[in-house]
């Protein structure tokens, strides 16, 4: 998912109007806000969409905490998924379609489509949904809206539960970590302005509240990129500075874009603290 902090202007309607008092009222989804939402949800936007190879239209409602599939005629909620389950929102090859990659618990294995490509441990907890919008402009608006909402939600979450002031949340990513015995472990790396936090995921997909370990950027020595496994990389540590840390930590991501995103952020934050470029090398 995108970790940018931009707040783009959008053509998606976000109108401040009276919410219909009854779910049976006539409601034009193109011009009015949705009927009453679940308690605690604050409205962000909505649109009409359909599923690939389907003609039936649904309403997609985005709130500050969730995205909701709703019947256009009755306003009945088909499902509500929390934003915390979302791994990424990306454009599809079809210009009107975007793909939502999301985490699921073991009880939801039958839902959604498996992630294509190399199956890593982190891939095995991910599924995908595709949403077809009315046109490419609406699709692009929704990608921006989703990513803005995700950024706001995760920043509030991590700065409330994990990252102490004056640190500020920067980025996070779900990936697979290779432990010292070569076993795959699902992890989430959270980057603040000061440190890397290595977080463990519980069996239900929730993130544990305490990090397994943390590293200041000044303790990094280099990055290493695998030639044998193109989606693997290592974060190498100056063990003189951090004697209780391992010399390197190996991770495996879902695709090349994710590897570029996480390593670019690490290089940027290392430079911000040291004024030096974080060196990189290949390994087999």
């Amino acid at each position: 998912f995108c970790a940018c902090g931009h707040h783009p202007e959008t053509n998606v309607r976000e109108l401040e109007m009276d919410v219909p008092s009854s779910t049976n009222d006539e409601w034009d989804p193109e011009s009015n806000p949705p009927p009453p939402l679940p308690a605690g949800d604050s409205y962000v936007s909505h649109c009409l969409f359909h599923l690939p190879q389907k003609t039936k239209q649904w309403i997609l409602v985005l709130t500050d905490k969730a995205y909701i599939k709703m019947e256009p005629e009755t306003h009945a909620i088909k499902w509500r998924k929390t934003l915390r389950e979302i791994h990424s929102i990306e454009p599809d090859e079809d210009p009107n379609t975007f793909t939502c990659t999301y985490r699921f618990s073991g009880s939801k294995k039958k839902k959604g489509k498996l992630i294509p490509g190399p199956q890593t441990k982190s891939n095995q907890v991910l599924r995908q949904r595709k949403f077809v919008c009315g046109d490419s402009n609406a699709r692009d608006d929704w990608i921006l809206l989703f990513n803005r909402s995700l950024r706001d939600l995760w920043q509030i979450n991590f700065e409330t539960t994990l990252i102490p002031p004056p640190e500020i949340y920067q980025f996070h990513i779900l990936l697979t970590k290779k432990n010292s015995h070569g076993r795959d472990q699902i992890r989430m790396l959270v980057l603040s302005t000061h440190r890397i936090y290595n977080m463990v995921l519980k069996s239900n997909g929730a993130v544990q509240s305490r990090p397994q370990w943390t590293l200041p950027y000044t303790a990094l020595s280099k990055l290493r990129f695998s030639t044998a496994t193109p989606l693997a990389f290592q974060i190498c540590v100056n063990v003189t500075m951090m004697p209780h840390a391992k010399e390197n930590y190996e991770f495996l991501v879902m695709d090349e874009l994710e590897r570029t995103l996480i390593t670019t952020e690490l290089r940027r934050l290392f430079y911000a603290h040291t004024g030096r470029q974080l060196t990189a090398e290949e390994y087999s």
Side-chain angles (χ1 to χ4, degrees):
F1 61 93
C2 174
C4 66
H6 297 159
H7 292 264
E9 295 296 328
T10 176
N11 291 324
V12 175
R13 296 179 184 270
E14 301 181 33
L15 305 179
E16 302 239 71
M17 299 177 63
D18 291 334
V19 174
S21 58
S22 167
T23 56
N24 293 321
D25 291 345
E26 184 176 354
W27 178 54
D28 177 7
E30 293 292 347
S31 61
N32 296 320
L37 297 172
D41 281 28
S42 297
Y43 171 73
V44 175
S45 192
H46 70 275
C47 74
L48 287 173
F49 79 97
H50 64 87
L51 300 174
Q53 287 83 51
K54 303 289 184 180
T55 57
K56 178 177 172 57
Q57 287 193 318
W58 299 85
I59 299 165
L60 179 64
V61 180
L62 179 64
T63 76
D64 62 331
K65 298 180 180 66
Y67 58 115
I68 301 167
K69 181 179 179 181
M70 189 180 291
E71 283 273 5
E73 295 82 12
T74 64
H75 308 157
I77 293 176
K78 183 72 173 178
W79 48 248
R80 177 188 180 275
K81 305 294 183 182
T82 66
L83 294 181
R84 290 190 183 189
E85 296 177 0
I86 295 179
H87 174 71
S88 63
I89 300 289
E90 296 176 345
D92 190 75
E93 293 180 358
D94 175 64
N96 297 347
T97 304
F98 67 89
T99 300
C100 173
T101 303
Y102 63 98
R103 301 201 310 272
F104 73 107
S105 65
S107 62
K108 299 178 183 178
K109 286 186 178 180
K110 64 181 181 179
K111 300 291 184 182
K113 182 179 179 181
L114 273 170
I115 299 300
Q119 287 299 298
T120 67
K121 193 73 172 178
S122 55
N123 273 29
Q124 294 169 19
V125 299
L126 297 174
R127 292 290 185 270
Q128 288 183 331
R129 289 190 182 92
K130 293 182 182 290
F131 299 88
V132 184
C133 301
D135 55 44
S136 60
N137 288 332
R139 189 278 302 267
D140 293 344
D141 287 341
W142 271 82
I143 292 173
L144 291 172
L145 277 172
F146 258 112
N147 283 323
R148 184 185 71 181
S149 297
L150 286 169
R151 166 76 190 197
D152 292 346
L153 179 140
W154 282 110
Q155 180 162 4
I156 292 170
N157 176 74
F158 285 129
E159 290 181 5
T160 302
T161 63
L162 174 67
I163 299 171
E167 297 180 35
I168 301 171
Y169 164 81
Q170 299 293 293
F171 182 81
H172 75 278
I173 188 170
L174 183 75
L175 34 62
T176 298
K177 176 181 173 291
K178 292 279 187 181
N179 70 7
S180 56
H181 302 289
R183 296 173 183 169
D184 290 345
Q185 301 172 319
I186 303 171
R187 294 292 183 264
M188 181 178 284
L189 287 187
V190 180
L191 308 187
S192 78
T193 47
H194 290 62
R195 307 180 71 85
I196 304 168
Y197 295 84
N198 178 47
M199 310 300 294
V200 176
L201 263 69
K202 301 176 184 178
S203 58
N204 64 358
V207 182
Q208 287 190 356
S209 58
R210 293 185 178 182
Q212 187 180 50
W213 50 254
T214 73
L215 289 171
Y217 298 111
T218 52
L220 304 187
S221 61
K222 60 187 172 183
L223 295 173
R224 302 181 74 210
F225 297 90
S226 173
T227 55
T229 308
L231 301 182
F233 72 97
Q234 292 181 349
I235 298 174
C236 301
V237 180
N238 182 343
V239 292
T240 303
M241 183 182 296
M242 299 288 292
H244 299 295
K246 291 174 57 180
E247 188 173 354
N248 59 69
Y249 297 93
E250 186 171 32
F251 299 94
L252 190 63
V253 292
M254 191 170 71
D255 54 38
E256 291 184 11
L257 174 61
E258 287 195 345
R259 190 172 77 166
T260 299
L261 286 172
I262 180 62
T263 56
T264 298
E265 283 296 294
L266 289 170
R267 285 169 163 159
R268 178 181 69 83
L269 291 160
F270 178 83
Y271 182 83
H273 283 271
T274 67
R276 296 181 285 112
Q277 299 293 333
L278 185 58
T279 58
E281 63 183 32
E282 293 182 339
Y283 71 100
S284 57

